[in-house]
Amino acid sequence: DQQVKQNSPSLSVQEGRISILNCDYTNSMFDYFLWYKKYPAEGPTFLISISSIKDKNEDGRFTVFLNKSAKHLSLHIVPSQPGDSAVYFCAASRGGGGSQGNLIFGKGTKLSVKP
Amino acid sequence: SQTIHQWPATLVQPVGSPLSLECTVEGTSNPNLYWYRQAAGRGLQLLFYSVGIGQISSEVPQNLSASRPQDRQFILSSKKLLLSDSGFYLCASAGGFVRELFFGEGSRLTVL
């Protein structure tokens, strides 16, 4: 059972335009959401996060939106740059100790930004 | 911030051979440590996590095992590799009140 879903395996965007990456989750107990960026043959790097008490968090060109009623979050990149081309993973976790706090990852979306 | 070191970076092993991937963490103490695998066409799958020395929890039954002999050392092992063990293995660390994971550079394992 996939608790975090990224239904688009790939996305292609023109440089300068907006990139929108989507993520859906099923577990209503998740209270913290993160986006990671991964280049080939490298480990993922943390990009931006959002707590469930917020509906928006912005960091430079990156904004994450959370719609709790729809169990949906999205990552907006504006303007998109060729260096943004990578695989983006959505992740979620719930509070609590033990395995409850572990991050659950989606399968990733490969973003290609064309010059 | 934390730094995660993983080695070897690349490994090609025959089926049935043993495996040992090592991970060490700097910049934190008593972290939660994790082993993830990214197989072709799949996301990041959690294999093991550890909340302390000698404490290992397995998320997926398989022929792999993990050990944590020291606070900031995490080892992934196998006695006999299978073809299906091929993939990109990532060690990760989380510490304190941070709910983010810091990942190492990964180890690419190819089983032939």
Side-chain angles (χ1 to χ4, degrees):
Chain A
D1 179 32
Q2 207 177 340
Q3 297 186 65
V4 178
K5 301 177 184 178
Q6 293 178 256
N7 293 318
S8 298
S10 63
L11 175 68
S12 183
V13 172
Q14 204 68 31
E15 181 179 6
R17 299 290 187 99
I18 184 171
S19 295
I20 300 176
L21 296 101
N22 294 302
C23 178
D24 298 294
Y25 61 96
T26 58
N27 191 338
S28 58
M29 299 299 291
F30 287 146
D31 64 352
Y32 195 67
F33 305 88
L34 308 91
W35 285 94
Y36 281 81
K37 177 180 178 180
K38 184 183 181 300
Y39 293 117
E42 294 184 9
T45 54
F46 169 74
L47 196 55
I48 193 169
S49 63
I50 188 167
S51 164
S52 60
I53 62 174
K54 296 184 176 181
D55 55 19
K56 177 182 175 181
N57 188 26
E58 192 173 352
D59 183 3
R61 296 185 298 113
F62 303 92
T63 303
V64 56
F65 295 92
L66 175 63
N67 182 334
K68 284 188 296 182
S69 61
K71 294 190 178 68
H72 176 84
L73 66 155
S74 60
L75 174 68
H76 293 210
I77 306 174
V78 182
S80 301
Q81 300 173 354
D84 295 329
S85 297
V87 176
Y88 289 79
F89 288 99
C90 171
S93 74
R94 54 182 291 189
S99 63
Q100 292 182 6
N102 291 341
L103 288 185
I104 308 297
F105 285 86
K107 292 190 174 183
T109 297
K110 183 177 182 180
L111 174 65
S112 299
V113 180
K114 302 189 182 306
Chain B
S1 65
Q2 302 181 31
T3 303
I4 319 296
H5 299 285
Q6 272 187 253
W7 69 94
T10 306
L11 198 58
V12 180
Q13 293 285 98
V15 169
S17 64
L19 170 73
S20 180
L21 298 179
E22 296 199 31
C23 169
T24 58
V25 181
E26 294 178 0
T28 187
S29 58
N30 195 30
N32 286 357
L33 297 176
Y34 303 82
W35 278 110
Y36 282 86
R37 176 172 60 199
Q38 183 186 17
R42 304 183 68 177
L44 297 174
Q45 182 186 32
L46 178 61
L47 303 175
F48 300 95
Y49 71 95
S50 171
V51 299
I53 296 174
Q55 300 179 63
I56 308 295
S57 296
S58 174
E59 290 290 304
V60 182
Q62 57 216 325
N63 69 318
L64 299 172
S65 62
S67 61
R68 185 169 178 176
Q70 299 181 44
D71 180 46
R72 288 174 288 177
Q73 183 184 21
F74 206 22
I75 298 171
L76 183 69
S77 304
S78 174
K79 293 182 179 179
K80 287 186 177 182
L81 285 168
L82 306 173
L83 286 175
S84 57
D85 291 325
S86 293
F88 193 58
Y89 289 82
L90 291 156
C91 178
S93 170
F97 297 103
V98 176
R99 295 183 66 176
E100 301 147 13
L101 287 184
F102 297 90
F103 284 88
E105 290 298 309
S107 297
R108 169 72 61 190
L109 171 66
T110 303
V111 182
L112 301 175

